[in-house]
Every structure is written in structure tokens, then in C-alpha cells.
Amino acid sequence: MFIIDAHLDLSMNALEWNRDLTQPIAAINAREAGLTDKPDRSLGVVSLPELRKGNIGLVVATQIGRYVAPDNNLPGWHSPQQAWAQTQGQLAWYNAMEDAGEMVQIHNLVSLERHLQLWADEEDNPKKQVGYILSLEGADSFVDVSYLERAYKNGLRAVGPAHYGPGRYANGTDATGKMGANGLELLKEMERLNVILDATHLCDDAFWQALDNFNGHVWASHNNCRALVNHNRQYSDEMIKALIGREAVIGAALDAWMMVPGWVRGQSTPKGMNCNMEVMADHIDHICQLAGNALHVGMGTDLDGAFGKEQCPYDLETIADLQKVPAILKKRGYTDADIDNMMHGNWLRFLRTAWA
């Protein structure tokens, strides 16, 4: 089945993890043997060949560059200009992948429909370009709001104003507080340019403020349910209902600590916590019950988002195993139409509406 994944940190893996994503995942992991600078060395699950093997022909691919103030202990860049430069290096990698015939940017209806035609059959997948929609995770790298239009001209089509901690435009996970004037200005400019608002990572204060002040299209690329894992990174039922009311789609994430309660980083293991892909279906079920239908859930795995097999479902060897999800959903009573929608149809409906 054709699959769309709404959140992959491909360029971060390529540049900061120094992974050649054109290679088979086994070769990437073998080359990392003995490295200890990242917790997921030799445990990666994403590469372009694995996307093709899993019939994942379209992804929302990120740029990310966080600014950190002197009193912020999170990893990041010491000036907005450095953060911007980091995202431009990531853009250069996507461009290089296009030059190599590995990927193709999808940025409007024409390019979307052309790409879907390319992937309409499951033949010759190893030769097909993986389509990517460019998204920015955390807006810190915009030196000022005018940089959004510059990024838009380079293909940027979705922005999440916040990531972790305090941000220059909005506060994110583990932070609190509303947006200031520059955050509200960013929302207005996003609306003018028809840039999708990715509500993921917005703290509760900023989440509600953003929905009140943004009249454009909203999605949540990678989020799970607070009712199942009680953490501010997740969405409460009230927030999920608000997104449903905005015709949003929510991408189900496969980061173990977001899937099962009580996860302890660096100590818990997926098998020890019984974290498998059935747990992903629990979160999907919860959203569908709140919506009364299966029209507001998609795949948004966040796989290899600074974690690998040590922190994802134990029954997932590579991202190609997303092909196991339809059978899991079928067993839970979802119809073929429901499953098609959750694997790709909901994202496509959203994009066709947003880009009409």
C-alpha cells in the first residue's frame, strides 16, 4: 500500500549524524559500528532504499535549527543567523538529492498529482524518486519574519513555530507562555503565503493562541495522545477535538516514550515496556473515537528523529515495516477505506484542499 509519512528528519540524519541515506540501512548501521557519540548509532531505521521498499513514496521532510539563549541548556545555535545557516545547509542536501535523482520536491498541486502518477503502481520502486514536502520544525532560524518568504520561494510549505523549550516565536515542549508580537506576526505571514501551520510541539498556551490567531490550514505532523501518555508533548482530548474542528490531520508518532507511559530515557527498552506497533494503533483508536471517524489520523512516525531501534516499537526493523500497520488496523475492525485514508488518503485530501 502507498504510504505518506508526515515527519522525517532526513537532512538532520544526513548532516548531523553523517549518514549517507542513499545506502541500504544495513550498510549505514555497519559503518557506525563502535561509534558512541549518539545513542542510536548502528540502530538507524530510515534510508531512501527502505522508504522505497516500504512503498513510502511521499514524506514531509524537515529542516531544523534551534536558537538557544545563554541560559538555555538545550543543544542549539548561539545566534539566529547560525540557525538559519544550518537550515540552509539542510536545504542544500535536499537539493543535492534532487540532483542525484533520489528525491523530488513537492510544493503544489501539479507536482503532487504528477508524483502520485509516478507511484501509482508498485513496480520499479527502487528507481523512483521519493517525494518530499519541505517543513520547518521550530521557527527560530527565521532571523526575522521576512525570512519566511525567502524560505517559501525555496519550497517551504509547512512551519511548526516551536520545538523544545523557549523559542523566538513560540514556546514549545516543556515550556509555557503565549506568543509575543513576533510570533503573531509570523502567523499572519504564514497565512498570507498559505503556509501550513504545524501545531506539533506548541506548548498549551501557544497552541490555543495559535488556533485563535491563524485562519489557514493546520495539521499536526507527529503527535500522540495525552490520555494514554500524560506529558505536555502530547495532545489532550480537548486539543485533539479542536484540531478535528479545524479539519486537521494528526500524524501518529513512533517514538517509544510518546507511546507508552513510564518510559525512562536510556534505561527503558521497547520489549521491556511492551512497546510494539499495536500501541501505535491504541493512539490511532483514541483519536478516531474522539472524531467519530478515521478521517483525522495519518502516519507521522518521526523515525530516526534522534532515536533508532533503541526507542521505537520492537517489531519494527526499518521504516519499511509501516506496511504492517494496515493488517493491525484491519484486525481492529477498520474498513479498507478507513485504512487507505490513514495510510495516505487523509494527508492527500488535506493537501489538495490546502493547495487548491
Side-chain angles (χ1 to χ4, degrees), residues 29-240:
N29 287 336
R31 190 163 187 179
E32 294 183 358
L35 296 180
T36 59
D37 60 314
K38 309 280 188 184
D40 59 332
R41 286 301 187 192
S42 295
L43 297 170
V45 300
V46 176
S47 71
L48 292 168
E50 289 300 321
L51 288 170
R52 297 184 182 102
K53 189 183 299 182
N55 212 37
I56 306 162
L58 181 60
V59 302
V60 178
T62 64
Q63 297 170 284
I64 183 169
R66 182 195 292 119
Y67 163 74
V68 290
D71 60 349
N72 187 340
N73 293 324
L74 289 169
W77 302 101
H78 292 181
S79 72
Q81 290 81 3
Q82 288 170 275
W84 170 259
Q86 175 73 1
T87 64
Q88 297 315 288
Q90 293 163 357
L91 176 63
W93 179 79
Y94 289 117
N95 291 338
M97 289 298 96
E98 291 196 66
D99 292 343
E102 295 279 349
M103 300 182 75
V104 60
Q105 188 183 90
I106 308 302
H107 58 271
N108 58 23
L109 269 184
V110 172
S111 58
L112 176 65
E113 301 298 349
R114 183 191 306 127
H115 189 67
L116 294 175
Q117 282 297 313
L118 173 69
W119 282 82
D121 60 66
E122 297 187 22
E123 299 175 5
D124 293 324
N125 274 12
K127 298 178 182 177
K128 292 176 182 173
Q129 294 170 308
V130 174
Y132 74 99
I133 298 167
L134 199 58
S135 177
L136 182 68
E137 188 172 23
D140 286 0
S141 58
F142 291 145
V143 178
D144 58 51
V145 172
S146 72
Y147 277 63
L148 173 61
E149 185 165 13
R150 190 184 307 188
Y152 180 85
K153 289 176 180 176
N154 286 326
L156 185 70
R157 291 297 179 266
V159 172
H163 192 225
Y164 276 82
R168 298 181 60 237
Y169 294 92
N171 295 323
T173 302
D174 292 333
T176 58
K178 291 187 174 182
M179 294 179 176
N182 61 340
L184 296 175
E185 184 186 358
L186 176 65
L187 292 178
K188 286 188 175 63
E189 184 69 352
M190 288 170 61
E191 191 175 323
R192 182 183 75 84
L193 292 169
N194 195 30
V195 171
I196 296 159
L197 170 64
D198 187 350
T200 301
H201 281 293
L202 287 169
C203 74
D204 288 20
D205 295 327
F207 174 91
W208 293 111
Q209 185 186 21
L211 291 193
D212 286 343
N213 286 276
F214 181 77
N215 297 310
H217 302 281
V218 183
W219 70 25
S221 60
H222 57 303
N223 262 98
N224 289 343
C225 305
R226 196 176 294 181
L228 302 184
V229 178
N230 187 16
H231 189 278
N232 69 79
R233 169 67 178 83
Q234 315 277 65
Y235 282 148
S236 68
D237 288 0
E238 187 181 9
M239 297 164 88
I240 292 169

